[in-house]
Amino acid sequence: MSAPKKLFIKTYGCQMNVYDSERMAEALGGEGYVETKSPDDADMILLNTCHIREKAAEKVYSELGRFKGLKAEKPDLKIGVAGCVAQAEGQEIMRRQPLVDLVVGPQSYHRLPEMEAKAREGEKVLDTDFPEEDKFEKLKNRPKAKRGPTAFLTVQEGCDKFCAFCVVPYTRGAEVSRPADRILREAQDLVERGVREITLLGQNVNAYHGAGPNGDMTLAQLIWELDKVDGLERIRFTTSHPNDMQDDLIEAHGTCAKLMPYLHLPVQAGSDKILKRMNRAHTAESYLRLIERIRAARPDILISGDFIVGFPEETEADFQATLDLVEEVKYGTAYSFKYSTRPGTPAAERPQVDPAEADDRLQRLQALLTKQQREVQDSMVGRDVTVLFEKAGRFPGQMVGKSDYLHAVHVADCDRAIGDLARVRILSSGANSLAGALID
Ligand code: SAH
Ligand code: SF4
Ligand code: F3S
């Protein structure tokens, strides 16, 4: 038998790309590839890319440039670009960087084995179709290898919202939900391989409406089905849109013990004028009332958000409205970005904000968000939480895991194993994590 070929995958962007990279590795695993941690000994390099902001997309070209020497030494090395830049730029990638052999979009990567074979024969291959067939079904012959205690599971993909700044509806396509039975089968399989916590993924995950035994199911109904899976201890989901936060999902946060008290609910901005121009179809007020209802169902829930500053025509007063909203919500975590002009999106045509002004606003917003994040984290001290242990710590006997609220927790003198859950009393709060002790 010949030695296995080696595959190096580098993943950029969101959690869905992490999930997709695992699937691509499995698809090529069937062709005799094993993963390697270094590009230097790879027979194939795949960059799974992100197009969300200009910086993310440009990174791909500088990374590709770095493989020039490697390719010169090893003419058989194949280089592929997958993900959202592949979808958005297609052929242009091969024009800009001739060392690329293969370009595959996020909806076509189940065809990688055939594409790889063609690339081996010296062909340049490109597939950025949105095919009819179900890529997840084509990929279902998974190896049964053991895995870590947490996993992602894509349940919905694509987006029909068309926020004025965003490339996702173009790179991922229209919103599609996977049928519930296939998701449940995949969850069962993950649990058998050691997974204790599953994060359900979708660009608009709470708009989930996959086929179930009695018609379409809501995300809450899917969560209740997953709740019955023995051995699955925790369920999370991301990312939600405020307009799809249905009553049964809010209620589940109060009643489903496996559903973790954490919700990523991006608002993007606090000014109604800007929200309207962003095509968000909600107001600051409707978002705040929604948060109130969610907190009424689950008072201790940790709220996380995404923000864009410097959106076209954002004034200082508009920005102030974002700060006001943040003050009111009190976020446990948040991601904030300076607006990045994306070709082909409606906002790209609008008058842009002065970049220096946008930088200044981003700094001010981040200072406030960091302060809130720290306050929420500090408020955990003295409380008892459940921790799912994910790895050994830096010190002998120490273990590290995540609390229900997704805070990293370090536990000293810990006799538990990876994948165990334990009650932990929080003793102190550091820069980016908590420290606690096991409660007997
Ligand atoms: N589907 C998710 C997230 C999409 S991308 C949602 O609707 O929330 C993740 C985040 O990137 C977005 O929430 C937004 O805050 C940010 N983002 C998207 N496009 C951007 C752009 N053109 N410039 C800056 N940030 C952007
Ligand atoms: Fe992008 Fe808006 Fe869709 Fe989120 S909801 S993926 S920000 S278009
Ligand atoms: Fe990026 Fe595509 Fe995800 S653009 S954020 S990798 S959906």
Side-chain angles (χ1 to χ4, degrees):
M1 223 174 83
S2 59
K5 290 174 281 183
K6 292 196 175 152
L7 170 68
F8 173 73
I9 305 189
K10 185 158 180 179
T11 308
Y12 303 83
C14 62
Q15 287 126 324
M16 197 172 283
N17 263 10
V18 175
Y19 177 86
D20 289 349
S21 290
E22 289 170 5
R23 303 292 79 75
M24 290 195 277
E26 285 171 3
L28 289 171
E31 307 305 304
Y33 278 92
V34 295
E35 273 193 88
T36 168
K37 287 192 170 7
S38 152
D40 299 334
D41 63 350
D43 299 286
M44 173 139 176
I45 293 174
L46 268 182
L47 300 183
N48 193 11
T49 62
C50 174
H51 201 245
I52 202 82
R53 284 167 288 274
E54 191 180 354
K55 258 197 207 132
E58 280 306 312
K59 235 189 260 169
V60 176
Y61 290 100
S62 53
E63 187 75 34
L64 284 170
R66 264 183 257 152
F67 297 137
K68 252 191 196 138
L70 215 53
K71 182 107 172 174
E73 276 169 38
K74 253 175 122 172
D76 281 346
L77 170 67
K78 297 295 165 200
I79 297 181
V81 177
C84 290
V85 176
Q87 191 63 44
E89 299 188 2
Q91 202 81 53
E92 175 64 19
I93 299 173
M94 288 173 175
R95 257 198 299 271
R96 255 183 90 172
Q97 186 44 274
L99 57 77
V100 173
D101 301 288
L102 182 157
V103 173
V104 58
Q107 303 306 345
S108 319
Y109 58 70
H110 54 294
R111 295 172 173 169
L112 263 176
E114 298 97 78
M115 296 177 73
E116 187 268 350
K118 283 189 190 160
R120 286 268 154 242
E121 280 161 21
E123 246 182 83
K124 294 260 181 193
V125 271
L126 172 128
D127 192 340
T128 51
D129 286 353
F130 287 92
E132 285 291 312
E133 72 243 21
D134 182 347
K135 69 174 172 185
F136 299 103
E137 281 302 286
K138 299 265 173 197
L139 289 168
K140 76 178 175 200
N141 294 325
R142 311 223 159 137
K144 292 285 173 193
K146 182 125 178 72
R147 31 179 312 162
T150 65
F152 295 128
L153 201 175
T154 294
V155 302
Q156 178 277 336
E157 193 168 352
C159 182
D160 298 337
K161 294 276 192 290
F162 290 93
C163 297
F165 49 80
C166 184
V167 294
V168 171
Y170 312 97
T171 62
R172 292 276 168 173
E175 203 185 295
V176 176
S177 293
R178 294 178 67 193
D181 58 339
R182 295 178 190 168
I183 295 166
L184 290 166
R185 199 172 58 214
E186 192 171 327
Q188 189 67 52
D189 174 67
L190 288 169
V191 169
E192 281 162 19
R193 292 161 60 194
V195 169
R196 293 287 163 265
E197 173 181 304
I198 291 180
T199 302
L200 306 175
L201 297 183
Q203 270 86 31
N204 243 295
V205 72
N206 56 346
Y208 176 81
H209 55 92
N214 309 307
D216 279 4
M217 287 171 78
T218 63
L219 183 65
Q221 288 168 333
L222 179 67
I223 288 169
W224 281 112
E225 287 305 310
L226 287 162
D227 182 67
K228 295 181 199 155
V229 175
D230 271 345
L232 178 63
E233 306 291 348
R234 289 175 154 189
I235 303 165
R236 303 180 187 276
F237 59 90
T238 197
T239 296
S240 298
H241 191 287
N243 294 2
D244 293 317
M245 209 59 211
Q246 296 166 44
D247 291 347
D248 61 348
L249 187 57
I250 296 177
E251 203 184 304
H253 270 293
T255 50
C256 180
K258 288 186 183 177
L259 185 57
M260 291 294 101
Y262 183 102
L263 180 65
H264 184 56
L265 195 63
V267 65
Q268 313 298 355
S271 144
D272 288 343
K273 176 192 102 188
I274 294 298
L275 286 169
K276 195 156 195 240
R277 290 182 188 181
M278 285 178 164
N279 194 28
R280 288 289 293 181
H282 59 76
T283 62
E285 186 61 24
S286 69
Y287 178 84
L288 290 169
R289 296 293 80 83
L290 178 59
I291 297 283
E292 255 173 28
R293 285 173 51 219
I294 296 162
R295 283 189 167 140
R298 180 78 203 227
D300 60 339
I301 198 162
L302 190 146
I303 303 288
S304 154
D306 285 349
F307 298 88
I308 295 178
V309 303
F311 185 79
E313 299 164 281
E314 182 189 72
T315 63
E316 176 60 27
D318 293 322
F319 173 66
Q320 196 58 50
T322 298
L323 295 178
D324 293 346
L325 179 140
V326 170
E327 287 285 7
E328 214 165 309
V329 174
K330 301 209 177 353
Y331 286 91
T333 59
Y335 306 87
S336 45
F337 313 96
K338 186 164 87 157
Y339 170 72
S340 168
T341 311
R342 307 311 291 128
T345 60
E349 313 296 324
R350 318 277 311 192
Q352 308 289 310
V353 167
D354 170 35
E357 184 59 43
D359 278 330
D360 179 64
R361 287 178 196 167
L362 184 62
Q363 270 185 22
R364 284 187 282 154
L365 175 62
Q366 288 185 338
L368 175 60
L369 289 168
T370 307
K371 180 172 143 274
Q372 286 194 346
Q373 192 162 326
R374 187 62 200 253
E375 280 166 7
V376 171
Q377 194 190 288
D378 291 351
S379 75
M380 294 287 158
V381 176
R383 288 178 58 183
D384 297 345
V385 297
T386 304
V387 174
L388 172 61
F389 292 108
E390 293 180 7
K391 58 182 185 196
R394 264 192 300 144
F395 305 105
Q398 189 192 47
M399 294 288 291
V400 191
K402 295 270 167 57
S403 77
D404 332 47
Y405 309 95
L406 215 51
H407 286 122
V409 182
H410 291 76
V411 180
D413 302 322
C414 185
D415 58 359
R416 307 303 158 95
I418 290 172
D420 283 355
L421 284 146
R423 292 292 287 168
V424 168
R425 180 150 306 154
I426 301 301
L427 303 173
S428 65
S429 172
N432 293 307
S433 66
L434 298 164
L438 291 176
I439 307 168
D440 300 320

